[in-house]
């Protein structure tokens, strides 16, 4: 079971390294969003610093979304899904493996690079740290919620837009607590730890629900 | 092991593809499923692989212990499931990890289909026939008795077809089972055949007219 | 026209490989020597600026990096024309090799600018017209590199990227103009200038030497990148040939394995 | 250099060195890997058409 899990994680990481999958693209998209929003808002650093954490979180949600549609779709297109579905390892374990590989190539780099992008928005060091911490804890939720949508749209030709419409509402709680935790750290009225722990709990719940729901969706649709 | 199918019917969307389909197959036997395009050969294979729910009827397997039918099935469909960026060996190693019950190493499996030298080649560089053979090599990385093959000979040249027949004969001799959907003869001796056309509902039945159109 | 034909000969990939093999050691050595002189000048000869203090030394790498970020884009655009107009394979290769180098220098320019801005302006980043244009340039590099990776077939990728690169060239003045307009509208009156009031010769020299050193370095890296790209295509086509050949050798190989 | 901003200057040069060093390293490592791949192919007996002509001459 662990062998199949590791084999799938390793294969997806290898593919990401060789083909340059959604991970690198998500990062570039993240940077572009952060760079483009100030054009709309105007170059007022005070304003940008105030909304910075929210902006980074919002960009992270969108950047996660654009990579997700290919999560299962590539496997459905080339038939590798048959192998995954006929494995003697439970499908839930394999879905978890795909999610982990996707998070390692998309969510984690996003969280680790967020402080650097925070510089563009004149965030204080404390705020950068808080955004990075909340993203590390929160992006697994985004990945696994998105995995459900990815599984549902896996066999549809143009799943990308549909996927975004399906999962964005489900990502709202994560976004709320992620941003409020990040804001709390920069001198809000509430303590940092409360929303942060709720965010962590949301992430854990999302991982569990996401794995089972995505596996069920794959059995139905793929 | 023994697999028996009774009164199987297949519905895809609104139309009934076939019905009242029954057969049974024991260890060491092969079944060739024939039929015209769209008759439902691939759907039958998908049902046996557990990827499609039958509209009626039952598929039973005996003598496989705790395992489900899907876990003793090695299925090579018309999509190869190969990743272009991975080498043939990496692709097979992944298949082996997914299927479990290890048998031959990826390199040995490639040698069985005459592609030992392709081990280090990314699958994207291979021709259609070669990719097909790499996919068929999957049959050897895992010890699974039931082989489900969908058009196994497509894109294969004559020499490869002969080799495939040898390999299948060997699998039957070891007590395996083979169910293959195909247009072309497989070159196997003593196989059962099943024509799906005989089970396609006739025109006067509801849904039959739709079925004829395919 | 004999001269044109000799130029064409040079543009033959195999000839280019030979030339690159001979040229690269010299280019590398020249770049290293110039860098050594440039670093010596910028650290020990150039005096601290009366306004910027020691931080002016960041300029000696920041300005050349900015220059190269632009230079590589111009290089890429010229190659893109070569790809689209003459369909020359070497132009494809030149295009592809230039992108990561240009992106790297643009990145250096952005970060060193940021490291200079923190002590001088008190902030890492200002949405000033100049900085923002460079950021947009960096984003365009990233997009071009993403497109290179997305298309499998090198010839097709080259033509697609060429179109994108040339659209970018047309866009750069527009971006620059709109950003200028945008930030003068909002920016407070204190407009900082990167190049300072006047450049004293004692600072001009280190700057020029460093700029030359960076340019030679970039050319060396570009030639090396082109050489690698040609080799990569060669390896790719040989693997394809090998795949074709496989069937011929299959029988004996399988026989040996049994 | 006793400047209060020495850290920024050193960081600038260090980062530039890192990036340029990375570019050089990438070029060298890639070149070695490609040469090795070509040798490996040669060992398998695969040669380019033009290369074969050259040896035939």
């Amino acid at each position: 079971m662990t062998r199949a899990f590791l084999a799938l994680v390793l294969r997806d990481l290898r593919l990401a390294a060789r083909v340059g999958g959604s991970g690198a693209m998500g990062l570039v998209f993240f940077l572009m969003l952060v760079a483009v929003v100030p054009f709309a808002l105007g170059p007022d650093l005070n304003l940008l610093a105030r909304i910075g954490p929210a902006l980074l979180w919002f960009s992270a949600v969108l950047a996660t979304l654009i990579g997700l549609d290919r999560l299962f779709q590539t496997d459905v297109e080339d038939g590798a899904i048959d192998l995954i579905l006929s494995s003697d390892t439970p499908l839930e374990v394999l879905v978890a493996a795909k999610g982990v590989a996707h998070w390692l190539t998309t969510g984690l780099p996003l969280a680790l690079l967020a402080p650097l992008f925070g510089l563009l928005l004149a965030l204080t060091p404390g705020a950068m740290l808080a955004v990075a911490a909340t993203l590390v804890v929160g992006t697994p939720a985004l990945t696994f919620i998105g995995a459900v949508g990815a599984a549902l749209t896996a066999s549809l030709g143009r799943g990308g837009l549909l996927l975004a419409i399906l999962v964005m509402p489900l990502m709202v709680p994560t976004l709320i607590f992620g941003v409020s935790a990040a804001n709390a750290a920069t001198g809000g009225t509430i303590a940092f730890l409360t929303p942060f722990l709720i965010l962590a709990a949301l992430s854990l719940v999302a991982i569990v629900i996401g794995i089972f729901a995505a596996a069920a969706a794959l059995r139905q649709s793929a | 092991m023994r697999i028996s199918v009774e009164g199987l019917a297949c519905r895809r969307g609104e139309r009934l593809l076939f019905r009242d389909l029954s057969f049974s197959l024991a260890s060491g036997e092969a079944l060739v499923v024939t039929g015209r395009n769209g008759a439902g050969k691939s759907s039958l294979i998908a049902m046996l692989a557990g990827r499609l729910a039958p509209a009626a009827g039952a598929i039973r397997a005996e003598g496989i212990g705790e395992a489900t039918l899907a876990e003793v099935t090695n299925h090579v469909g018309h999509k190869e499931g190969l990743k272009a960026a991975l080498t043939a060996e990496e692709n097979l190693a992944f298949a082996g990890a997914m299927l479990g019950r290890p048998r031959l190493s990826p390199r040995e499996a490639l040698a069985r289909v005459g592609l030992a030298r392709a081990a280090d080649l990314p699958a994207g560089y291979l021709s259609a026939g070669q990719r097909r053979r790499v996919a068929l090599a999957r049959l050897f990385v895992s010890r699974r008795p039931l082989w489900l093959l969908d058009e196994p000979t497509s894109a294969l040249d004559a020499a490869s077809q002969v080799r495939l027949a040898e390999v299948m004969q060997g699998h039957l001799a070891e007590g395996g089972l083979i169910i293959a959907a195909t247009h072309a003869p497989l070159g196997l001796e003593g196989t059962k055949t099943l024509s799906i056309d005989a089970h396609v509902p006739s025109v006067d039945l509801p849904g039959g007219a739709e079925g004829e159109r395919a | 026209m004999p001269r044109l034909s000799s130029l064409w000969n040079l543009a033959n990939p195999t000839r280019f490989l030979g030339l690159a093999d001979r040229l690269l050691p010299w280019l590398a050595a020249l770049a290293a020597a110039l860098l050594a002189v440039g670093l010596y000048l910028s650290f020990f000869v150039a005096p601290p600026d009366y306004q910027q203090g020691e931080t002016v030394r960041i300029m000696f790498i920041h300005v050349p990096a900015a220059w190269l970020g632009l230079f590589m884009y111009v290089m890429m655009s010229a190659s893109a024309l070569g790809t689209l107009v003459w369909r020359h394979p070497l132009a494809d290769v030149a295009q592809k090799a230039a992108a990561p180098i240009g992106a790297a220098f643009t990145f250096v320019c952005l970060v060193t600018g940021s490291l200079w801005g923190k002590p001088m302006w008190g902030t890492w980043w200002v949405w000033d017209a100049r900085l923002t244009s460079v950021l947009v340039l960096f984003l365009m590099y990233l997009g071009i590199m993403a497109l290179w990776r997305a298309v499998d077939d090198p010839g097709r990728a080259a033509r697609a990227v060429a179109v994108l690169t040339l659209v970018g060239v047309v866009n750069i003045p527009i971006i620059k103009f709109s950003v200028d307009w945008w930030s003068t509208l909002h920016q407070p009156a204190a407009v900082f200038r990167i190049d300072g009031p006047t450049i004293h010769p004692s600072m001009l020299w280190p700057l020029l030497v460093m700029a030359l050193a960076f340019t030679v370095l970039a050319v060396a890296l570009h030639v090396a990148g082109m050489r690698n790209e040609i080799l990569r295509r060669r390896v790719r086509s040989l693997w394809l040939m090998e795949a074709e050949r496989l069937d011929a050798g299959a029988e004996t190989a399988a026989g040996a394995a049994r | 250099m006793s400047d209060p901003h020495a850290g920024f200057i050193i960081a600038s040069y260090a980062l530039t060195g890192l990036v340029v060093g990375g570019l050089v390293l990438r070029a060298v490592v890639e070149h070695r890997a490609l040469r090795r791949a070509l040798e490996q192919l040669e060992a398998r007996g695969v040669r380019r058409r033009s290369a074969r002509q050259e040896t035939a001459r």
Side-chain angles (χ1 to χ4, degrees), chain A residues 11-220:
Chain A
R11 184 200 72 161
D12 277 11
L13 292 182
R14 225 179 230 156
L15 285 174
R18 285 190 202 165
V19 192
S22 53
M25 218 80 99
L27 276 182
V28 174
F29 188 62
F30 187 43
L31 173 59
M32 296 212 174
L33 284 172
V34 173
V36 161
V37 171
F39 286 110
L41 291 176
D44 180 357
L45 283 183
N46 292 326
L47 174 69
L48 289 174
R50 205 168 70 243
I51 61 165
L55 205 59
L56 285 172
W57 253 93
F58 183 64
S59 306
V61 168
L62 292 182
T64 313
L65 273 182
I66 65 154
L68 271 169
D69 61 323
R70 302 295 288 164
L71 181 59
F72 296 110
Q73 211 173 43
T74 46
D75 287 329
V76 170
E77 274 168 11
D78 63 22
I81 197 76
D82 285 326
L83 273 174
I84 291 171
L85 284 170
S86 61
S87 173
D88 51 0
T89 304
L91 184 56
E92 283 76 11
V93 174
L94 298 178
V95 168
K98 292 227 47 136
V100 166
H102 189 264
W103 182 72
L104 283 177
T105 52
T106 312
L108 186 62
L110 214 86
L112 295 181
L113 274 179
L116 196 65
F117 298 166
L119 287 178
L120 295 177
L121 303 174
L123 292 191
T124 60
M128 287 182 213
L129 205 66
V131 169
T134 50
L135 278 176
V136 167
V137 172
T139 41
L142 301 182
T143 298
F144 280 92
I145 292 171
V148 181
L152 284 169
T153 56
S155 53
L156 306 178
R158 293 171 191 215
L161 195 57
L162 182 59
L163 168 83
I165 293 169
L166 295 182
V167 298
M168 277 274 249
L170 304 176
M171 290 176 172
V172 167
T174 317
L175 185 64
I176 290 175
F177 285 100
V179 174
S180 66
N183 277 333
T186 61
T189 46
I190 38 169
F192 169 69
L193 210 56
T194 318
F196 188 73
L197 287 180
I198 297 178
L199 179 68
L202 275 177
S203 228
L204 291 176
V205 171
I207 291 173
V208 174
I209 293 180
I211 286 173
F212 283 96
L218 271 186
R219 285 202 185 92
Q220 298 305 314

Side-chain angles (χ1 to χ4, degrees), chain B residues 47-211:
Chain B
M47 270 182 198
L48 291 167
R51 298 292 314 278
L52 198 65
I59 303 168
R60 275 187 211 83
E62 300 158 23
I64 51 173
E66 296 284 294
T68 63
L69 185 59
E71 283 171 16
V72 297
T73 301
N74 206 333
H75 173 203
V76 180
H78 54 266
K79 286 180 189 166
E80 277 101 5
L82 302 178
K83 294 288 175 192
L86 299 184
T87 66
E89 186 181 11
E90 285 166 343
N91 268 305
L92 281 177
F94 171 71
M98 285 297 117
L99 297 174
R101 302 166 179 248
R103 190 173 160 201
L104 295 183
S105 77
R107 277 177 185 271
E108 289 164 343
L110 281 169
R112 283 286 181 96
V113 293
L115 280 177
R117 285 167 60 90
D120 299 325
L121 250 72
Y125 289 155
L126 299 175
S127 70
Q130 287 164 348
R131 290 170 62 90
R132 187 88 213 158
R133 279 148 70 195
V134 174
L136 287 168
R138 193 187 295 156
L139 297 170
F140 307 108
V141 296
S142 172
R143 198 178 295 283
R144 291 186 165 206
L146 174 61
W147 286 5
L148 281 182
L149 309 173
D150 197 352
E151 298 290 355
T153 53
S154 70
L156 290 189
D157 57 21
S160 301
Q161 290 191 20
V162 170
R163 186 188 299 275
L164 177 66
E166 284 170 19
V167 156
M168 288 198 292
Q169 206 80 59
H171 181 61
L172 294 177
E174 287 168 21
L177 292 77
I178 298 175
I179 300 177
T182 181
H183 289 293
L186 289 177
L188 283 181
E189 286 160 27
T191 53
K192 295 184 175 182
T193 47
L194 173 75
S195 170
I196 287 201
D197 290 336
H199 300 272
V200 171
S202 50
V203 196
D204 54 343
L205 282 167
E210 299 272 325

